[in-house]
Amino acid sequence: MIHMLKYGMVGGGPGAFIGEAHRKAIHMDGTAVLAAGCFSRTPEKTKAQGELLGISSDRCYASYSEMAEKEAAREDGIDFVVVVTPNNTHYEICKAFLEAGIHVACDKPLVTESGQAEELKAIADEKGLLFMVTYTYVGHVTSKFIRDLIAKGEIETVRTVMAEYPQGWLYDEHDNGGKQGAWRCDPAQSGKVNCLGDLGTHVENAVATMTGLKVKRVLAKMDVVVPGRILDDNDQILVEYDNGATGVNWTSQFAIGCDNSLRVRIYGSRGTILWFQERCEEVTLIREDGISQIIRRGNGVISPEAAKYGRLPAGHTEGWLESMGNLYDNYAECVKAKKEGTFRPDMIDYPTIEEGIAGLKYVEACLESNEKGNVWVEV
Amino acid sequence: MIHMLKYGMVGGGPGAFIGEAHRKAIHMDGTAVLAAGCFSRTPEKTKAQGELLGISSDRCYASYSEMAEKEAAREDGIDFVVVVTPNNTHYEICKAFLEAGIHVACDKPLVTESGQAEELKAIADEKGLLFMVTYTYVGHVTSKFIRDLIAKGEIETVRTVMAEYPQGWLYDEHDNGGKQGAWRCDPAQSGKVNCLGDLGTHVENAVATMTGLKVKRVLAKMDVVVPGRILDDNDQILVEYDNGATGVNWTSQFAIGCDNSLRVRIYGSRGTILWFQERCEEVTLIREDGISQIIRRGNGVISPEAAKYGRLPAGHTEGWLESMGNLYDNYAECVKAKKEGTFRPDMIDYPTIEEGIAGLKYVEACLESNEKGNVWVEV
Amino acid sequence: MIHMLKYGMVGGGPGAFIGEAHRKAIHMDGTAVLAAGCFSRTPEKTKAQGELLGISSDRCYASYSEMAEKEAAREDGIDFVVVVTPNNTHYEICKAFLEAGIHVACDKPLVTESGQAEELKAIADEKGLLFMVTYTYVGHVTSKFIRDLIAKGEIETVRTVMAEYPQGWLYDEHDNGGKQGAWRCDPAQSGKVNCLGDLGTHVENAVATMTGLKVKRVLAKMDVVVPGRILDDNDQILVEYDNGATGVNWTSQFAIGCDNSLRVRIYGSRGTILWFQERCEEVTLIREDGISQIIRRGNGVISPEAAKYGRLPAGHTEGWLESMGNLYDNYAECVKAKKEGTFRPDMIDYPTIEEGIAGLKYVEACLESNEKGNVWVEV
Amino acid sequence: MIHMLKYGMVGGGPGAFIGEAHRKAIHMDGTAVLAAGCFSRTPEKTKAQGELLGISSDRCYASYSEMAEKEAAREDGIDFVVVVTPNNTHYEICKAFLEAGIHVACDKPLVTESGQAEELKAIADEKGLLFMVTYTYVGHVTSKFIRDLIAKGEIETVRTVMAEYPQGWLYDEHDNGGKQGAWRCDPAQSGKVNCLGDLGTHVENAVATMTGLKVKRVLAKMDVVVPGRILDDNDQILVEYDNGATGVNWTSQFAIGCDNSLRVRIYGSRGTILWFQERCEEVTLIREDGISQIIRRGNGVISPEAAKYGRLPAGHTEGWLESMGNLYDNYAECVKAKKEGTFRPDMIDYPTIEEGIAGLKYVEACLESNEKGNVWVEV
């Protein structure tokens, strides 16, 4: 099993949705084998989870720092670590593994302040380590296809972008969404933002990745709407991009009927592109003739750079796990190349720490704009 | 033919889309008979158009003022006038007919300044005349059903409204949309606004009618995007309503692929309502269970107050003309009641001059906000 | 008003949906003026309806035969008659008007036996009269566009056609659909078929018109499913066309959730065309690249021969009445040309009596197939 | 890793889509570990594939019979085998493993004659072995939800079922679909049927599973349409079910634009259920009120028996692999229970060999009907 990478996980204990999801995404393609973990702050829970996952007990660690240290020391130590803990713990954990010389894949939002993120980036750069931020939605074949379409000038100049990511699960003032909702809504764990950090960073990243544009300034209205909430649960933000294009970014957690409704609509001077995460097997492209072309994963027109990430024939639907899996497939390929000394920067086709930093700066600018009474703030 | 009302038209000459459309909407149901007209500023064109439409030549007038005067003097004079000229002429024309004692139906946007509109309202009120502003889209059975749903508390408190009306026909810098586009883009004919007046007033009116909310303040970004344009062609506006709800209103004329894409999405504390003009035979209602209920015109659940406007069984699609026809059906019923002395204010189920005024104030507040650099302005 | 045609109507009394619908379709465009009628078998009802419709009382006739005779004798007599009575009366009525030398527009299904229809055709041919059968759905701009696409070889050879027209309004064994359902389900009024005559003839006609193919043979399963019904309410029919293509035609009256769901899916050797009556503003065309192209009325790609029937800009939805209106617009143009001596057969773009005969022969072949135990029967 | 089952695979060599897909489905959830294989008829290919997959070389077998024998003899032998070879080899392979006492999961269509299948069933029954036939599409949460809805009487009596599974990839007479198409179209490998075996068995199984109905008789038209083909590529079949309901089953391989378009529409006496594989995250349920309820995986109304198979929150799209994974999750649970002596027949929630037999009998009846000139044949 020499070809197979080994990875460790921090977070992802019993009942943690996102850790389990990362594992499935990695294991689906046999991308890497889980070899070590610190799944919980409670050592007993880590042990129990490790046993269920088939990890030898000596690699179930009581603390992430012990894990970083010991795995770094092992000859058969993990090749990369996956960090899927609450946001406010990412910084310390990532730092520990980077300092131990281990590649890192960390869930978004990366950390709670962009300064921390830049610090992490500096360490990674210095040590030549790969750092992925798992913005799931840019992993889709269709997301990558849109990026390619726009890069090739298919719709010419982007003029305005209407992007949104409404969810509905926290609409009820009598129900804060269980464990998942509790930490998101708690300033102690989430920092100064809830909805904008959880969803808004995906919006910023999806638009940036697809269009190649960067946010220049924002005018943000961040509201706390559902009675009893402390942090923002509805954000409506005017955006200007570096090419002069405008846009609106909307995120919400009380939009009843919206499950996970990340939607990006890009209007260019020669065409329009529509993408909806819940219909992620297809892209709508409209050229100047006004005909709505529904292009599906599997159609021959999909660029090979995007199409190669598909696993199944057209119509054999792929979804969220495959998208996340695509991120890990490319990341693992890069990690492997690092090990074998064949790595080249242009191999990278995953969201890096720079995208993580961009997300944080976007959030910080929005917070400032909102605090100042909805004025324009440069990012 | 004693039961049949007679109407006159100002505007609607050869090639004028909107005048022709109003006539079809009225004639479809046999609501009223066209009896007089001043279809063009050029008397010859008025004559020619009148002949085509079967109007006797003595009722084809060279000027609207002559028409108002002479029709008012006839025993068999018109019961109401339909004004479908460019916006900047509405004020004088409407005033002439009101002063002559003739009921008025006028296209939107009503006039170019809210002060003029209030003046018209004063005259109409004083003379007891009925004044309709033809916001087409609130005439749909489904629009009326949404109004009833929300009024009955079906989704409880409205929390945020995402409303938009993008079109794509003016996307091309080498083509200003022919005659229809030319006057809209020309400040001399359109005044200070183009897109916001043409489309944004529909958005404001549709939301106000459906939700019963009034806009309290706006923060407007009005952009001139397509090279060569002078007036706004893309407007992204943050809105606050009188109940504290927020919203975004977006209108555009360069959104390729959007024909006439008025869309209103209303998120309440106990449900969501979605409506899209291009699928105007249906409403999506989502209650707390998260199930998307697609309710179609013709379903038994539609309130009788809304359902009565349908002409055909479910699935026999009705559209834009029927919606406009619904406005005229109710308006004509009120005019008839006025003639017969049976009118009661609660018979009114069409958009009145007050809604026209609200639209103008909305536009004026947006203009002020934009000129001041995107700040909040009270409406 | 010399340019305006005059028409009469047989049927279409108070509460009759289809007569009212025909009138709206004709009046919407000012195609012709209603000048005479025999709206009911009860003379009083005819009088009352005539008065409501503004017809002079001497042209409200007690019988259709009197109407045919007297209108033919008047100098200002009707130019054509619209027959919208129950099916089993069409033959006698149409014959009377044809013999009186008056052009006829008759609702479908034309008559109850193809022999009668051929007799009517012979009279019409001999007298040089125009006979339209009002198959509404082929009047849509999109239906005509599909016909043009296929005629031009856009999808090359048609291989199979899946066509269906399910409705749901008669699903309930405790409710036979009121007045509309009662006569359809009554053998005394409907003859030997219900569902297949009412809906199946539309299916046959839509496919024939769009594809240019004729049905060669059928294998029909016609079932009486809802308890208490006497005539077919669900028909599933295997079809072979004259070019060797196959197909399935399905019609039903108990398909809950289907309002008026005529749907035609045409699979050719180089492409596919999808059309759904309830979304009649659009056509889906798929070429060999597999991309679903959604083409909307108003798109530039629509052939001028089809596009000319549109009234409103794209996105200003047209529907059932406009489709019916398109039939009458062309029919009236032909009638006018007959009057003016400028008629040419290639002006005809409406469904003629030949299409009515084809529908009857289709029904008769299906009945025979079903009676013989679901065997192939040549049409 | 004591809790983890071990499985072997026959077939699934390099480039084989379905074998790779089965592996991903199993590994995604960590359901079982691949421990042995005979991936190809060419031992070198098996070795190479085994190495890639991390299997020790002594468990890469030159023949399936050797594999069955040796694995059965090992103490740490495989718990079940997955058979993903061409159809005409299934019988011998499955038999070998059953006789060796190993549980079997076999791709569909099970074998080429129902007699063989019954033989396999007899062996499995006698030895108490579990036999799954991997009809993927009944594994979806939504498929299971439909089954539960109908079982609970939600739409009362099923009256007619319109089911279809068109694909378009073999439309071109100049391209027989590469390796995947070649064996399907080759009588030597596929037997007497192509399209009906590949797709029609899924249709039969999906309807049977969802509705609980069994096919009583069929009238089948099986056509060879694309020039150069030998076996059926378009099948249009009239069906009668054991409760008297009717239906149409359509399968095609030349329906351009259809990727993998399994669609089931079930019309009952009190409601309708619509399901489309390419939108497998949702079900449409229409009750007597005519409202189309779109129910999504994740909605609270989904029965717990179905909902438990979901991995991700609503809107985090699951697809084909998850559906296949659901089959294996339940199958592995049953295999584990067999090992631990806790198995109960009511634990089975996967398609068994009985469903495989039903599929074969359906195909055989269709073949007979078609050969006899499209007559009714009892299943």
Side-chain angles (χ1 to χ4, degrees), chain A residues 1-4 17 20-21 23-25 27-30 51-54 137 140 165 167 257-260 277-280 282 296-297 299 311-322, chain D residues 1-4 17 20-21 23-25 27-30 51-54 137 140 165 167 257-260 277-280 282 296-297 299 311-322:
Chain A
M1 221 186 287
I2 31 170
H3 300 301
M4 202 76 103
F17 144 63
E20 175 75 5
R23 287 193 299 263
K24 286 182 192 299
H27 299 170
M28 176 170 60
D29 296 331
E51 197 178 350
L52 272 173
L53 294 165
Y137 304 107
H140 282 294
Y165 193 166
Q167 294 184 335
C258 296
D259 288 331
N260 198 39
Q277 190 276 132
E278 297 185 20
R279 295 268 185 275
C280 59
E282 70 190 36
R296 300 184 301 283
R297 186 181 60 75
N299 284 160
R311 287 155 192 76
L312 301 174
H316 296 69
T317 51
E318 299 194 351
W320 195 96
L321 285 176
E322 286 85 351
Chain D
M1 220 185 289
I2 31 169
H3 301 300
M4 202 75 104
F17 145 63
E20 175 76 5
R23 288 193 297 263
K24 286 181 192 298
H27 299 171
M28 176 170 57
D29 296 332
E51 199 177 350
L52 272 172
L53 294 166
Y137 304 108
H140 282 294
Y165 192 166
Q167 294 184 335
C258 296
D259 290 331
N260 198 39
Q277 190 276 134
E278 298 185 20
R279 294 269 185 275
C280 59
E282 69 190 36
R296 301 184 302 283
R297 185 182 60 76
N299 284 158
R311 288 156 192 77
L312 301 174
H316 296 68
T317 52
E318 299 194 350
W320 195 96
L321 285 176
E322 285 86 350

Side-chain angles (χ1 to χ4, degrees), chain D residues 212-226:
Chain D
L213 299 179
K214 293 200 183 323
V215 174
K216 196 180 140 206
R217 57 178 195 155
V218 295
L219 188 160
K221 186 167 193 322
M222 299 172 64
D223 292 311
V224 185
V225 175
V226 177

Side-chain angles (χ1 to χ4, degrees), chain B residues 63-276:
Chain B
S63 75
Y64 67 83
S65 46
E66 184 198 351
M67 177 173 159
E69 188 187 335
K70 294 209 172 147
E71 287 293 322
R74 291 179 75 113
E75 198 161 330
D76 67 345
I78 56 173
D79 296 300
F80 65 92
V81 69
V82 172
V83 180
V84 284
T85 54
N87 308 341
N88 63 341
T89 65
H90 287 176
Y91 169 67
E92 293 293 345
I93 299 169
C94 292
K95 195 173 169 189
F97 282 89
L98 289 175
E99 287 179 340
I102 294 171
H103 302 292
V104 173
C106 181
D107 202 22
K108 49 52 56 189
L110 180 48
V111 289
T112 53
E113 288 173 37
S114 60
Q116 296 173 333
E118 284 174 336
E119 206 182 318
L120 294 178
K121 176 168 156 46
I123 305 172
D125 286 353
E126 192 210 321
K127 293 189 175 265
L129 294 169
L130 298 172
F131 199 117
M132 173 164 79
V133 181
T134 53
Y135 287 111
T136 324
Y137 304 108
V138 298
H140 282 294
V141 168
T142 49
S143 309
K144 290 179 185 291
F145 174 51
I146 292 173
R147 181 193 59 186
D148 296 348
L149 277 176
I150 293 178
K152 284 169 196 161
E154 191 67 50
I155 62 168
E156 227 179 74
T157 308
V158 172
R159 286 172 167 174
T160 200
V161 182
M162 300 299 292
E164 63 188 37
Y165 192 166
Q167 294 184 335
W169 64 306
L170 292 172
Y171 78 92
D172 188 355
E173 64 269 31
H174 306 300
D175 174 6
N176 71 356
K179 185 181 170 182
Q180 295 297 329
W183 74 257
R184 280 181 174 80
C185 297
D186 175 12
Q189 291 183 74
S190 278
K192 294 178 186 170
V193 287
N194 161 28
C195 183
L196 189 68
D198 195 25
L199 307 180
T201 48
H202 276 300
V203 171
E204 182 275 334
N205 181 253
V207 175
T209 305
M210 291 176 179
T211 63
L213 299 179
K214 293 199 183 324
V215 173
K216 196 180 140 204
R217 57 176 195 156
V218 294
L219 188 160
K221 185 167 193 325
M222 299 172 64
D223 293 311
V224 185
V225 175
V226 177
R229 296 281 146 77
I230 297 164
L231 296 173
D232 65 304
D233 53 8
N234 195 64
D235 311 296
Q236 289 156 329
I237 298 165
L238 301 181
V239 181
E240 271 189 18
Y241 293 95
D242 54 359
N243 78 335
T246 65
V248 175
N249 289 354
W250 172 49
T251 46
S252 183
Q253 288 169 329
F254 61 68
I256 293 176
C258 296
D259 289 331
N260 198 39
S261 303
L262 175 59
R263 189 186 296 268
V264 179
R265 299 182 289 171
I266 304 164
Y267 301 91
S269 55
R270 291 294 170 252
T272 290
I273 290 173
L274 311 175
W275 185 81
F276 180 39

Side-chain angles (χ1 to χ4, degrees), chain D residues 62 65 75 79 133 179 214 239 271 280 289 301 309 337 344 349 359:
Chain D
S65 46
E75 196 160 331
D79 295 300
V133 181
K179 185 181 170 183
K214 293 200 183 323
V239 180
C280 59
D289 59 14
V301 75
Y309 286 99
R344 300 183 322 274
D349 191 24

Side-chain angles (χ1 to χ4, degrees), chain D residues 78-376:
Chain D
I78 56 174
D79 295 300
F80 64 93
V81 69
V82 172
V83 180
V84 283
T85 54
N87 308 340
N88 63 342
T89 65
H90 288 176
Y91 169 68
E92 293 294 346
I93 298 169
C94 291
K95 197 173 168 187
F97 283 89
L98 289 175
E99 287 180 340
I102 294 170
H103 303 291
V104 173
C106 181
D107 202 22
K108 48 53 58 188
L110 180 49
V111 290
T112 53
E113 287 174 36
S114 61
Q116 297 172 333
E118 283 173 336
E119 207 182 316
L120 294 178
K121 177 170 155 45
I123 305 172
D125 285 353
E126 193 210 319
K127 292 188 175 266
L129 294 170
L130 298 172
F131 199 118
M132 174 164 77
V133 181
T134 52
Y135 287 110
T136 324
Y137 304 108
V138 298
H140 282 294
V141 168
T142 49
S143 309
K144 290 178 185 292
F145 174 52
I146 292 172
R147 181 193 60 186
D148 295 349
L149 277 177
I150 293 178
K152 284 170 195 159
E154 191 67 49
I155 63 168
E156 226 179 74
T157 308
V158 172
R159 286 173 167 174
T160 200
V161 182
M162 300 299 292
E164 62 188 38
Y165 192 166
Q167 294 184 335
W169 64 306
L170 292 172
Y171 78 92
D172 188 355
E173 63 271 31
H174 306 300
D175 174 6
N176 71 357
K179 185 181 170 183
Q180 295 296 330
W183 74 257
R184 281 181 175 80
C185 297
D186 175 12
Q189 291 183 75
S190 278
K192 293 178 187 170
V193 287
N194 161 27
C195 183
L196 189 68
D198 194 26
L199 307 180
T201 48
H202 276 300
V203 171
E204 182 275 333
N205 181 253
V207 175
T209 305
M210 291 175 179
T211 64
L213 299 179
K214 293 200 183 323
V215 174
K216 196 180 140 206
R217 57 178 195 155
V218 295
L219 188 160
K221 186 167 193 322
M222 299 172 64
D223 292 311
V224 185
V225 175
V226 177
R229 297 281 145 76
I230 298 165
L231 296 173
D232 66 303
D233 53 8
N234 195 63
D235 311 295
Q236 288 156 330
I237 298 165
L238 301 181
V239 180
E240 271 189 19
Y241 294 95
D242 54 359
N243 79 334
T246 65
V248 175
N249 289 354
W250 172 49
T251 46
S252 184
Q253 288 170 329
F254 61 67
I256 293 176
C258 296
D259 290 331
N260 198 39
S261 304
L262 175 59
R263 189 187 296 268
V264 180
R265 299 181 290 171
I266 304 164
Y267 301 91
S269 55
R270 291 293 170 252
T272 290
I273 290 173
L274 311 175
W275 185 82
F276 181 37
Q277 190 276 134
E278 298 185 20
R279 294 269 185 275
C280 59
E281 290 278 271
E282 69 190 36
V283 171
T284 301
L285 169 66
I286 307 154
R287 294 210 182 84
E288 294 179 78
D289 59 14
I291 297 173
S292 296
Q293 297 191 27
I294 314 227
I295 301 170
R296 301 184 302 283
R297 185 182 60 76
N299 284 158
V301 75
I302 303 274
S303 52
E305 295 78 14
K308 72 176 179 194
Y309 286 99
R311 288 156 192 77
L312 301 174
H316 296 68
T317 52
E318 299 194 350
W320 195 96
L321 285 176
E322 285 86 350
S323 182
M324 182 64 95
N326 292 344
L327 299 188
Y328 276 106
D329 286 350
N330 175 260
Y331 181 67
E333 203 181 305
C334 293
V335 169
K336 221 176 267 184
K338 276 276 180 185
K339 286 183 77 169
E340 295 167 353
T342 58
F343 176 77
R344 300 183 322 274
D346 69 357
M347 293 171 65
I348 293 181
D349 191 24
Y350 60 78
T352 69
I353 192 164
E354 288 183 50
E355 273 130 297
I357 294 169
L360 292 165
K361 290 192 169 170
Y362 169 75
V363 169
E364 287 165 356
C366 288
L367 277 168
E368 185 185 339
S369 170
N370 191 55
E371 278 157 19
K372 290 185 174 166
N374 321 121
V375 298
W376 287 105

